[in-house]
Every structure is written in structure tokens, then in C-alpha cells.
Amino acid sequence: MPTSKPTIVDAQRILSIMDELKEKLTYLSVATPQVLSALQNEEGQAIAEQLGPDLMKQYAEQMRMEELYVVANAAADRDLTGGEENEEAREEGSSLKKNTLELCRKMKNVPNIVTELRNLQERDANRNVMNFLITLKDMQELTLKRLTTTVEEERSRSELLEHYKNREAEASKRKQQLEKDLASLKSACERAQSQRDEILTKLKADLADVKDTKAERMTDLRNKYEKRMKDHEAVFAAKEEELLRKIGALKEANKKAKATNDDEEAQLKQRARRYEMDVDTVIKHYDETLKGMAMEVGEKMEAYKKEQKQRNELDDHFKKVQKERDTILAEDMIADVRLAKRQAELDRKNEASALVQAFWRGILAREQYSALKRAKKKKGGKKKKEEGGGNHHEKMG
């Protein structure tokens, strides 16, 4: 057995191999069925989207191949003479190795993937792997130190190593005891889990019954409301037909009323032309009436102010009653003024229409007179010409 120290190149090669092994073990420490089931649930949906469908498929394939590898090795251990089963185990091992390398390569491209997947694991799920990684890290540090240590340091460290080996033996015994306790706790947890599974199965059965009952009820409600909709459609069709018939009758009545209203409109237009002649008279009368009413309103307002001063001296109740009475009187006055204004406007229009009609008749009379006058002048000229021609013939004779 060689006792010489390894060279720097050998040490660097060993360190690089250890780095690669640590990296792969770190990725594989989170490649467990527990993490896969968590990724397929709602709590790991965001992380599954970050991994992508290809990596999730590779992840599931890794779990399947690990199970096949375990089964093949177990079968090979049971039958040590079976060559075909050993060959199958070797093939499974080769496929698992390739898939593991591919999985580690893809996981390396996803940032912070180990931290995210570690949150989906239980705290003590991969304690052995983590311990091995720590040991591997210590071995790296030890390899680096051995390149620069002396014989005395190496002897002291060997003694220290013996001390730690003794402590490791004690820790192993304690670990065995803790593993026994953990096994008992696991069996208790499994029993509790089986009870919870039974309760969950019963609840699922109850949920299925509720869903079936709900589906039947929805079918009955759908049939009920479809029947009601058909009844409403039939009633709506009957009402629509009746309303269309009424609309046709109203259109006919509207045509007749329109013809009658056209005649009445023509008569009203003729009457309006006559009323326009009285417009000027109505306007003058309206102005005089409005001035008188304005003076009257001014006088009444002054009287109202005086009465208001007197009313202010009375109690609150009498003030309210008196104010209401004054308001009613003011509204009556405004209504009278409005009525008088409308009547004056009507009289003004009547006078204006009468004036316009008289003016128009005067124009027509002047035109007729002018035409008659021109006709008389033409007749007089013809008679003079005839008389002048007879005298000329007499002179020639």
C-alpha cells in the first residue's frame, strides 16, 4: 500500500470529483416521491410551473425507475443464480444512471430549485443524505489540509480522529436507540393515518351521494323551468297576435282621423288669416292693460309690505298662517296676470290677422281697379281710331 502523499493534480482531481458528487447528491436529495406528490398538488403548482413539463416528466420517470431498480435488485438478491434477472438489474441500473445524469443537468439550469423543493420535504426526510454530504464536505477539507500538514500535525490529528471515532461509536449507539423510538412513533402515526384514511373514504362516499342527489334535483328543476318557459312562450305568442291585431285597427283609425284633421286644419288656417287683421288692436290693448296691471301690482306690493310689517308683530303660528294666505293670493294674482296675458296675446293676434286680411283685400281691390281702368282706356282708343278713319274716307270722296 503506497504511503506517499498525493500530488496537487491528484488532489485537484479528487476535489473536483467530490464537488460533482456533492452537487448530484444535493439535487437527488430533493428527488423523492414525497416531493413529487407535493408538486402534483395545489401547494406545489407554482414550483411545477417553474420547473416546466419536461423536467416534471423527467422527475416522475426518475421515481419510476428507482422503484423498478429496487424491485430488480431485490429479485436478484433472492435469486443469486438467475442470470436473466441480474442482467435486468444491470439494465435498470444503467437506465437509472442515464436518467439521473439528465435530471441533474436539467435541475442545474433552474435557479434556486433545491431551496424551493426543500420546503416541500419533511425536516428529517433525507437526514442520511444530508449527513453524507456533510461528511463529504469534511473529507474535502481534510484532503486540502493534508497537502500542507506536517508529521506532528498528522499524528495529533490521528489522535483526534481516534477520539472522534469513539464519540462516533457512542453516537451510533444513541442513534440506534433513537431509530427504535422513531419506529414506534412511525407505527403510531401509520395507525392514525389509517384511521384518517377510513374517515376520508367515508366522507368521499357521502360526497358522491350528495353529488348524485344534486344532479337529480338539477334535472327536475331543468325540466320544470323548461315547461314553464314553453308556457310563457305560448302566452307571449297569443298576446303578440292580439296586440298586432289592435295595432292594425289603430292604424286604420289613425288614417281616418288624419283625413278629418286635415280638413279641420284647413278651416283653422282660414280662420287664423281672418284673426291676423286684429293683431295691432290687441297689442295696443295688451300694452295698456299690462301697464295698469303693473301699477296695480306695485300698489298691492306696497300694501303687502305694510301688512307684512304688521304681521311680523304677531305670534309664530299666525305668521305661518298669514304667509300661506299671502302666498295663495300671490299665486292667484300671477295666475290672473298669466290668463290676462294669454288673452291679450290672443286678442293681439286676432287684430293683427284682421289688419293683414284687410290690407290684402285692399291690394286685390287696387289690382282689380287698375285692370278695369286699363281695359277702359283700350276701348276708348279703338273708338277714336274708327272715327278718324271714317272722316278720312269722307274727305277722299
Side-chain angles (χ1 to χ4, degrees):
M1 182 177 179
T3 58
S4 61
K5 281 189 177 183
T7 62
I8 296 176
V9 176
D10 295 335
Q12 293 294 333
R13 189 178 300 152
I14 292 170
L15 292 175
S16 63
I17 292 171
M18 286 183 176
D19 288 335
E20 185 179 0
L21 181 59
K22 278 200 306 182
E23 184 180 16
K24 290 180 180 178
L25 285 175
T26 303
Y27 290 137
L28 292 176
S29 65
V30 293
T32 61
Q34 180 189 358
V35 176
L36 179 61
S37 62
L39 288 173
Q40 293 173 353
N41 293 333
E42 294 181 356
E43 61 182 3
Q45 188 174 3
I47 302 175
E49 293 177 356
Q50 183 181 359
L51 293 176
D54 294 338
L55 187 52
M56 286 295 297
K57 185 177 179 182
Q58 193 85 20
Y59 206 97
E61 184 67 16
Q62 178 73 14
M63 298 299 102
R64 186 185 68 80
M65 295 181 73
E66 285 181 0
E67 293 176 359
L68 293 176
Y69 180 73
V70 172
V71 172
N73 282 337
D77 293 336
R78 286 194 301 270
D79 189 6
L80 296 175
T81 59
E84 294 179 357
E85 293 177 352
N86 290 333
E87 184 66 25
E88 183 180 356
R90 283 193 293 273
E91 290 179 359
E92 294 292 339
S94 177
S95 301
L96 179 60
K97 185 185 293 184
K98 292 179 181 179
N99 193 75
T100 302
L101 292 174
E102 185 68 19
L103 178 64
C104 292
R105 184 182 62 80
K106 290 183 178 180
M107 290 176 70
K108 188 176 181 180
N109 296 328
V110 181
N112 300 325
I113 185 61
V114 176
T115 306
E116 296 291 341
L117 295 178
R118 191 80 71 193
N119 295 329
L120 301 178
Q121 278 185 321
E122 293 182 359
R123 182 173 297 178
D124 298 331
N126 289 322
R127 183 185 295 174
N128 295 331
V129 177
M130 298 303 296
N131 291 333
F132 181 73
L133 287 173
I134 294 170
T135 304
L136 193 61
K137 182 179 179 182
D138 294 339
M139 288 175 65
Q140 276 186 301
E141 295 176 355
L142 181 62
T143 303
L144 287 172
K145 289 178 181 180
R146 287 183 68 86
L147 292 174
T148 57
T149 54
T150 62
V151 177
E152 291 79 6
E153 290 175 351
E154 190 171 349
R155 186 179 297 112
S156 63
R157 287 178 182 176
S158 63
E159 293 175 357
L160 185 62
L161 180 60
E162 288 295 330
H163 174 69
Y164 283 129
K165 283 182 179 179
N166 295 329
R167 292 185 63 183
E168 192 268 339
E170 295 176 359
S172 299
K173 293 179 181 179
R174 182 170 178 78
K175 178 183 176 183
Q176 291 176 359
Q177 183 65 32
L178 291 174
E179 285 179 351
K180 289 180 182 179
D181 297 339
L182 180 62
S184 62
L185 289 173
K186 282 185 177 179
S187 62
C189 290
E190 288 176 356
R191 288 194 298 271
Q193 183 66 31
S194 63
Q195 293 177 359
R196 287 194 295 270
D197 292 339
E198 291 177 359
I199 295 171
L200 183 61
T201 304
K202 184 177 179 181
L203 291 175
K204 286 182 178 179
D206 295 339
L207 179 61
D209 294 338
V210 171
K211 286 183 178 179
D212 294 338
T213 306
K214 185 178 179 181
E216 293 176 358
R217 187 178 178 186
M218 289 296 294
T219 304
D220 295 339
L221 289 173
R222 188 180 296 107
N223 295 331
K224 177 181 176 181
Y225 285 109
E226 285 179 355
K227 182 179 178 182
R228 186 179 295 179
M229 183 177 68
K230 290 180 181 178
D231 296 338
H232 284 305
E233 287 178 352
V235 173
F236 176 77
K239 287 184 178 180
E240 184 181 12
E241 184 179 357
E242 183 180 358
L243 291 173
L244 289 173
R245 187 169 59 253
K246 289 182 179 180
I247 288 170
L250 290 172
K251 285 182 178 179
E252 293 295 331
N254 189 23
K255 288 180 181 178
K256 294 179 181 178
K258 186 177 180 181
T260 305
N261 291 333
D262 290 339
D263 297 337
E264 292 179 357
E265 185 179 0
Q267 294 177 1
L268 290 172
K269 285 181 179 180
Q270 292 178 0
R271 193 181 301 168
R273 293 190 192 98
R274 291 194 302 269
Y275 289 157
E276 287 176 357
M277 297 175 66
D278 302 331
V279 170
D280 290 338
T281 305
V282 172
I283 291 172
K284 291 179 181 179
H285 179 69
Y286 171 74
D287 291 338
E288 294 175 356
T289 305
L290 190 61
K291 288 179 181 179
M293 292 177 69
M295 293 175 65
E296 185 179 356
V297 168
E299 293 174 357
K300 288 183 178 181
M301 288 300 292
E302 291 178 359
Y304 172 74
K305 289 178 181 179
K306 293 178 181 179
E307 292 176 358
Q308 188 68 27
K309 290 180 181 179
Q310 294 175 358
R311 292 189 191 97
N312 289 333
E313 297 175 356
L314 299 175
D315 58 354
D316 295 336
H317 180 71
F318 184 73
K319 284 181 181 180
K320 293 179 181 179
V321 174
Q322 194 64 28
K323 284 181 181 179
E324 185 177 358
R325 181 182 176 187
D326 293 338
T327 304
I328 294 170
L329 290 173
E331 289 178 356
D332 292 339
M333 288 172 62
I334 292 169
D336 294 338
V337 171
R338 287 177 180 171
L339 182 62
K341 186 177 179 180
R342 284 197 294 269
Q343 185 64 35
E345 182 69 19
L346 182 61
D347 294 339
R348 183 180 65 81
K349 289 181 179 179
N350 292 335
E351 291 175 0
S353 62
L355 179 62
V356 171
Q357 189 173 6
F359 184 73
W360 177 251
R361 287 176 180 174
I363 292 171
L364 293 177
R366 282 195 292 273
E367 289 179 354
Q368 291 176 0
Y369 177 73
S370 299
L372 183 61
K373 192 174 181 180
R374 285 194 297 270
K376 287 181 179 181
K377 286 181 180 180
K378 288 180 180 179
K379 289 180 181 180
K382 288 180 180 180
K383 289 179 180 181
K384 288 180 180 180
K385 287 181 180 179
E386 290 176 358
E387 290 177 358
N391 293 329
H392 180 70
H393 286 299
E394 289 177 359
K395 290 178 179 179
M396 290 296 292

